[in-house]
Amino acid sequence: MENVHLFNADLQTPAFVYDEQYMLNVLTLLSRVRNDCGCRILFSVKAFSFIDVLRLISPCVDGFAASSLFEATLCKEILGTSGTVHVTTPGLQERDLRALIDECDYISFNSIPQWLRHRQHATGRAFCGLRVNPKLSFVADERYDPCRPHSKLGAPIDELAELADCRRGALTGITGLHIHNNCEAQSFEPLVQTVRHLYDRLGRILADIHWLNLGGGYLFDRYGDLEGLVQVVDFVKCKSPVEVFFEPGKAIVKNAGYLVASVVDLFENDGKSIAILDTTVNHLPEVFEYQYRPQILQNLPQGKFSYLLAGATCLSGDIFGDYQCDHELTVGSRIIFKEVGAYSLVKAHMFNGVNLPAVYAYSPDAKFSLRRQFTYHDYRSRWMGGTRFTDGDGSDRPCNSRPLIIEQD
Ligand SMILES: Cc1ncc(COP(=O)(O)O)c(C=O)c1O
């Protein structure tokens, strides 16, 4: 899809386009891995939760990984009985636990106190596990590093080892372990190291558990990239007959996503040409949060025309950065940001009342189809007061325990 002219179809901008074939290609690689080493593949829905995409992905995976009750509820709705729902969150609350146990097949508690506080309620169909923090850092930017100093993510590995030695009963009911300690890694070497470290420190626990979730955080787009994962799974399965899960998000959707914008104004300031777009960094929030610089299809380092691409809101920092083009931009020109399928639409918001991008699928037969348009109604519905909230069955359960029905007073 790297052809600029493709996007000049009748797309209404701003548009978020996802390439179905790209996702299916990555999923095909993953099913080869699954066949080769017998691991289970989950899609981590936090990366992109668009329902049409979840429906596309669900037949190719063993389940979905969620981070909250709302995500878990969505996962269950899409999967029904044809896949498992896995959840882990540092923010688990008692009021959500009953519903989570109903929606989920696997719950990984994030800390030892969280587990001990909730274990008596965690009886039911869900398998309980513990997220371990292996305390091995591989991510340079602490904001993305689950093993940063004083991390809130997972039970520190040494504490868990001590618990296994001194208070074994505290782990009764724990059937699996969960790790996730990487971000955008290009090789599985860190996972090899992490799993070896886990077996060195937690061998006694690992001998007793039934499943191990390896998390996500790895990028790949060729089968060769995944050989390290196959080795890890083989290593684990040689030790004991555990079920191994791998739950990538970004690797499946990142390169499948494009944000298409139009130039709405052009002017000079302090010797730079400013191009205002009909999108905003709020459609790609990591541009602002993490100073991430998205690539555009038209960017040519030697291009003669330089522009500061800027967003449509009143925030002065709503800018994408300096880019070069080989042709002059005019009002109406298209700018196509690429590789923006992950953690973009799920984080996007309507600050300043700027509408969210329309969502288009680009199908394997090379057709764009409009899947969602946001309207003033979507904007307004967030700001409506004077409402009462009930569960679907009218009972008086806490309002975030189930999908809401909002009734006007
Ligand atoms: C527990 C867990 N699993 C899986 C993922 C997915 O990671 P990625 O999208 O980088 O593959 C994340 C991302 O934050 C995570 O926190």
Side-chain angles (χ1 to χ4, degrees):
M1 280 202 76
E2 301 272 297
N3 178 353
V4 181
H5 302 294
L6 257 186
F7 294 90
N8 286 332
D10 290 333
L11 296 182
Q12 156 201 323
T13 65
F16 182 90
V17 177
Y18 61 89
D19 179 356
E20 294 181 331
Q21 189 61 57
Y22 184 91
M23 295 182 199
L24 293 172
N25 291 348
V26 179
L27 291 162
T28 304
L29 297 179
L30 286 166
S31 37
R32 277 182 64 193
V33 167
R34 181 170 52 173
N35 292 342
D36 287 356
C37 64
C39 67
R40 305 240 180 235
I41 305 294
L42 310 173
F43 173 57
S44 189
V45 304
K46 74 187 84 176
F48 189 32
S49 311
F50 197 62
I51 288 178
D52 293 12
V53 167
L54 299 185
R55 292 210 171 103
L56 180 79
I57 291 177
S58 64
C60 312
V61 293
D62 299 291
F64 288 148
S67 320
S68 64
L69 175 57
F70 282 2
E71 277 191 4
T73 306
L74 187 62
C75 292
K76 185 69 187 167
E77 179 190 326
I78 305 301
L79 288 171
T81 52
S82 58
T84 49
V85 180
H86 302 238
V87 74
T88 183
T89 167
L92 181 71
Q93 296 182 58
E94 192 163 341
R95 68 177 188 201
D96 291 345
L97 193 61
R98 175 68 11 232
L100 272 174
I101 287 170
D102 287 348
E103 309 290 7
C104 297
D105 303 281
Y106 293 78
I107 301 181
S108 295
F109 290 86
N110 180 66
S111 70
I112 294 164
Q114 192 192 66
W115 159 243
L116 295 177
R117 201 169 332 110
H118 296 300
R119 65 192 286 191
Q120 77 276 20
H121 304 297
T123 48
R125 48 185 286 281
F127 293 112
C128 295
L130 255 187
R131 178 169 178 175
V132 188
N133 186 319
K135 302 204 112 192
L136 286 183
S137 277
F138 298 102
V139 184
D141 184 339
E142 276 195 355
R143 293 169 299 178
Y144 288 105
D145 181 8
C147 295
R148 64 188 282 168
H150 317 294
S151 173
K152 64 178 185 178
L153 298 169
I157 190 163
D158 295 326
E159 273 182 45
L160 195 52
E162 204 179 306
L163 199 70
D165 288 341
C166 311
R167 281 180 62 202
R168 189 110 187 124
L171 295 175
T172 305
I174 291 293
T175 60
L177 294 182
H178 185 149
I179 47 169
H180 169 80
N181 65 334
N182 225 324
C183 178
E184 294 205 339
Q186 310 275 347
S187 134
F188 281 93
E189 187 46 42
L191 192 60
V192 173
Q193 277 184 49
T194 304
V195 169
R196 284 187 191 283
H197 181 55
L198 221 60
Y199 276 87
D200 285 347
R201 299 293 291 116
L202 302 178
R204 286 183 54 194
I205 300 181
L206 283 153
D208 286 347
I209 59 164
H210 304 298
W211 55 273
L212 176 64
N213 187 326
L214 302 173
Y218 293 83
L219 294 179
F220 42 85
D221 55 15
R222 293 176 310 116
Y223 186 77
D225 300 337
L226 285 154
E227 274 159 13
L229 175 63
V230 176
Q231 280 166 25
V232 171
V233 178
D234 285 346
F235 173 85
V236 172
K237 286 186 173 263
C238 275
K239 298 273 187 188
S240 56
V242 289
E243 199 80 83
V244 183
F245 296 98
F246 177 51
E247 50 178 26
K250 197 173 252 189
I252 297 171
V253 293
K254 177 179 188 260
N255 293 355
Y258 299 81
L259 179 66
V260 187
S262 299
V263 174
V264 293
D265 195 16
L266 284 154
F267 54 86
E268 301 282 317
N269 195 359
D270 295 332
K272 270 194 188 181
S273 300
I274 323 286
I276 309 282
L277 307 178
D278 60 359
T279 184
T280 152
V281 293
N282 301 321
H283 296 163
L284 300 180
E286 294 195 342
V287 171
F288 193 75
E289 293 167 10
Y290 300 113
Q291 298 75 52
Y292 159 67
R293 183 187 153 86
Q295 293 301 308
I296 60 170
L297 281 189
Q298 302 93 326
N299 190 50
L300 300 167
Q302 270 79 39
K304 281 203 311 229
F305 301 93
S306 302
Y307 295 96
L308 178 64
L309 298 183
T313 73
C314 68
L315 176 69
S316 60
D318 181 5
I319 44 182
F320 293 92
D322 293 301
Y323 291 83
Q324 264 75 43
C325 298
D326 63 344
H327 62 280
E328 202 168 0
L329 296 180
T330 55
V331 168
S333 297
R334 291 275 160 102
I335 297 291
I336 298 130
F337 295 96
K338 62 175 188 170
E339 297 170 7
V340 295
Y343 304 105
S344 47
L345 210 54
V346 283
K347 289 182 164 192
H349 56 81
M350 289 193 192
F351 173 59
N352 263 207
V354 175
N355 199 4
L356 292 170
V359 182
Y360 290 85
Y362 184 69
S363 59
D365 58 352
K367 292 202 174 68
F368 288 97
S369 64
L370 179 61
R371 297 297 173 89
R372 176 74 200 255
Q373 245 173 326
F374 297 90
T375 62
Y376 172 67
H377 179 77
D378 297 301
Y379 170 72
R380 183 180 181 276
S381 68
R382 271 190 70 186
W383 311 123
M384 278 186 331
T387 52
R388 62 200 156 84
F389 303 95
T390 64
D391 274 349
D393 58 4
S395 67
D396 200 19
R397 265 189 289 272
C399 67
N400 70 343
S401 67
R402 288 281 161 94
L404 296 177
I405 289 180
I406 302 176
E407 292 173 4
Q408 204 68 45
D409 265 339

